[in-house]
Amino acid sequence: MRLLLLGGTKFVGRAVAEEALARGWEVTALNRGTRPAPGGVRQLTGDRTAEDGLAALGTGEWDAVVDTWSWAPAAVRDSARLLNGRVGHYAYVSSRSVYDYPLAPGAGEAAPVVDSSPDLPGEVPYAETKRGAELALEAEFGGRALLARAGLIIGPYEDIGRLPWWLNRIAEGGPVLAPGPRELPLQYIDVRDLAAWTLDAVVARLGGPYNLVGPSGHATMGELLEACVRATGSDAELRWTDPERILAAGVEPWTELPIWLAPGELYDFLHTGSVERALGAGLRCRPVTETVEDTWAWLRSIGGSAPQRADRATVGLDRAREAALLQG
């Protein structure tokens, strides 16, 4: 299988590249060349925001392309136009953020989506960015376009810092503010499971939208943080705290306390989506313990500090604020 990967050096793209190489595929990656691609990848240099940024793709044919772009939809539009007729299948790593907010619990792929355009050239809200790219692909590839609407993604190489923050905080030990309820169901996907399913879907020539995230409750908040305690071997004491108390203190869910959301509309939007279609198409999700242990091993291998995407704010709760909450 000849795979063209648009990206391939950071988080999701790197996981896709490594999975494809493990399958014995021939992998070509187009990116800006600021980071090396995994060994075995043929790397082409190009900046999709530049006028001639796709020049390296002027010739060549591939069985499939996987695109992880997260910025201006016009870049996806241009690559789709250039490659149409030279690739057999186009998979795009989109996002469940494309759905119109609020979203009913358990909503599937037929839920309403935000308005957007494939011709948006610059910075726009994330939901419109991803939906505009979907529209660009549908216009060029129709049913051959796979729209993998990912949810919360964690695992090795994470460059946003959500699970790495929890691991590093818990590794410090001592009392740790644990946002409750402990039994709160989470909905996420290990990046390697996302990569494996996407490549399986490429082989099967699946098209259309798929919510690509694990089932809600595949792990709970308690199971995630307790796995962090075991993986790090620390003496951390998880002190479970009611959501109302956390919110009353002005702590921001999702950013100051990564992954966690208090029950409500935003929680329903991000942690209760239907994934029946992806499960029916073979999605398999590894245990949370494996995701946590492998992420901790990766963190230690790079010195403990995870890379940080320039377009995302740093996550995590200030230790002084945490201490104040713990003291009541």
Side-chain angles (χ1 to χ4, degrees), residues 159-276:
D159 56 0
I160 296 174
R162 296 183 178 112
L163 182 53
W165 183 82
W166 278 114
L167 283 162
N168 282 326
R169 171 61 193 94
I170 287 173
E172 293 177 17
V176 175
L177 178 69
R182 180 187 175 282
E183 299 79 16
L184 186 72
L186 300 179
Q187 189 164 40
Y188 69 91
I189 191 166
D190 186 298
V191 68
R192 297 163 296 178
D193 297 333
L194 180 154
W197 184 89
T198 301
L199 295 186
D200 287 345
V202 161
V203 172
R205 294 294 190 259
L206 300 183
Y210 285 80
N211 287 338
L212 188 51
V213 66
S216 182
H218 181 68
T220 63
M221 196 70 202
E223 290 167 341
L224 176 73
L225 297 192
E226 287 159 9
C228 291
V229 174
R230 292 192 301 271
T232 59
S234 82
D235 64 353
E237 175 194 351
L238 299 177
R239 294 192 179 177
W240 293 99
T241 306
D242 291 338
E244 295 78 11
R245 185 160 170 248
I246 294 171
L247 297 178
V251 174
E252 289 292 333
W254 194 257
T255 53
E256 289 188 286
L257 290 174
I259 298 174
W260 177 78
L261 289 167
E265 282 187 349
L266 187 55
Y267 170 84
D268 291 342
F269 189 89
L270 291 172
H271 283 299
T272 70
S274 171
V275 293
E276 294 305 312

